[in-house]
Amino acid sequence: SGDFKKNITGSIQFKNIYFRYSKDQKFILNNFNLVIKPRQKIAILGQSGSGKSTICKLLLQFYKPEKGKILIDGSPIENYESDFLRQNITYVNQKTQLFNKNVMSNIQFGNDSSDQQVKDLINKYQLDIFNNLSHDVYSEAGVEGANLSLGMQKIVIILRGILRPGKIILFDEPLAGLDSKTRKNVIRLIKDTCQDKTVIIVTHDQEIIPYVDKVIK
């Protein structure tokens, strides 16, 4: 029912999960178990292609496990409306869409942040990567972000996700393609702004480890 639990605390459990992309492949997740408490910060370490992002995709119901249960706040995820899940679970990944509008509008897409809030975050975390554009954050991003460097696209997508209200936030390789100064600032940004959220970071970057409660390899 659509009314099922207006608010979630953000606890997640993967219980005896078996998953493979097709019947003739071996299981990527083979009796996989994981308990994540509300507001816990988890890093899932592994090279890309090792099935680590699959955990996020199962949580978002892009795929269903062959066996096992995924629970949010103790209830199987299939009990939740998919719209409700999308409001509560933010997925920050490489393939998030950018629109042919200015950078500011792209950051504000799907959240109700003001221009000032966005600028404050950019200043506080020294994400001054947009200074190189002719009109800073009011420069046009271009079709699918074509006017922006990959680093700029990344920062837009991370800020957009962080400003969304959902209780659970998933980051897929948030540091990939960023220079070392920006990487440090992004780690700080995630650490400070996601304190009240359950955070799952899929990454092969060791430098995130000091900032999380639990590492899954």
Side-chain angles (χ1 to χ4, degrees):
S1 67
D3 197 43
F4 187 79
K5 271 201 184 169
K6 290 265 183 295
N7 293 304
I8 58 168
T9 66
S11 80
I12 301 167
Q13 186 177 4
F14 290 85
K15 207 170 173 183
N16 310 116
I17 296 290
Y18 289 83
F19 178 79
R20 53 189 166 178
Y21 284 104
S22 66
K23 293 278 188 223
D24 53 2
Q25 289 180 320
K26 62 181 185 17
F27 285 102
I28 294 176
L29 299 172
N30 193 336
N31 198 16
F32 175 76
N33 287 281
L34 175 60
V35 175
I36 304 173
K37 298 187 188 88
R39 297 188 300 283
Q40 209 172 21
K41 314 293 179 250
I42 303 285
I44 300 174
L45 283 193
Q47 294 307 318
S48 47
S50 63
K52 298 294 188 290
S53 315
T54 306
I55 294 167
C56 296
K57 288 170 184 161
L58 289 169
L59 197 55
L60 292 156
Q61 291 190 300
F62 293 164
Y63 302 103
K64 286 193 163 37
E66 214 164 295
K67 283 200 308 212
K69 280 244 175 290
I70 299 169
L71 310 169
I72 292 180
D73 279 20
S75 300
I77 56 172
E78 50 273 19
N79 291 2
Y80 295 96
E81 301 260 324
S82 53
D83 284 353
F84 176 84
L85 284 180
R86 288 200 187 100
Q87 280 156 17
N88 276 284
I89 303 175
T90 302
Y91 186 37
V92 180
N93 76 337
Q94 325 296 318
K95 298 178 187 66
T96 307
Q97 201 183 355
L98 293 173
F99 305 100
N100 194 9
K101 295 178 171 167
N102 69 28
V103 169
M104 180 63 82
S105 309
N106 268 289
I107 291 171
Q108 291 168 330
F109 177 74
N111 60 61
D112 51 11
S113 57
S114 66
D115 287 26
Q116 196 55 52
Q117 271 175 294
V118 172
K119 287 177 184 167
D120 288 348
L121 275 182
I122 287 171
N123 292 333
K124 183 174 179 187
Y125 296 97
Q126 297 167 341
L127 302 169
D128 39 27
I129 192 165
F130 305 111
N131 292 359
N132 310 338
L133 301 171
S134 53
H135 300 100
D136 205 289
V137 288
Y138 296 104
S139 309
E140 292 302 311
V143 178
E144 293 186 359
N147 299 348
L148 307 181
S149 69
L150 290 175
M152 288 176 191
Q153 291 180 22
K154 193 67 165 249
I155 297 301
V156 168
I157 288 163
I158 288 172
L159 286 170
R160 178 196 285 179
I162 274 173
L163 288 161
R164 288 192 171 170
K167 267 292 186 217
I168 296 170
I169 187 161
L170 317 174
F171 293 96
D172 198 350
E173 296 291 358
L175 305 182
L178 299 175
D179 63 72
S180 63
K181 172 178 164 277
T182 310
R183 290 161 78 97
K184 288 191 179 65
N185 291 332
V186 165
I187 291 174
R188 219 159 42 90
L189 171 75
I190 293 172
K191 179 175 167 276
D192 294 354
T193 55
C194 299
Q195 280 176 0
D196 290 338
K197 301 185 184 200
T198 303
V199 179
I200 300 177
I201 303 172
V202 175
T203 184
H204 60 273
D205 291 301
Q206 305 281 334
E207 65 199 278
I208 282 180
I209 292 175
Y211 300 95
V212 298
D213 306 313
K214 193 163 159 182
V215 175
I216 287 122
K217 290 192 165 129

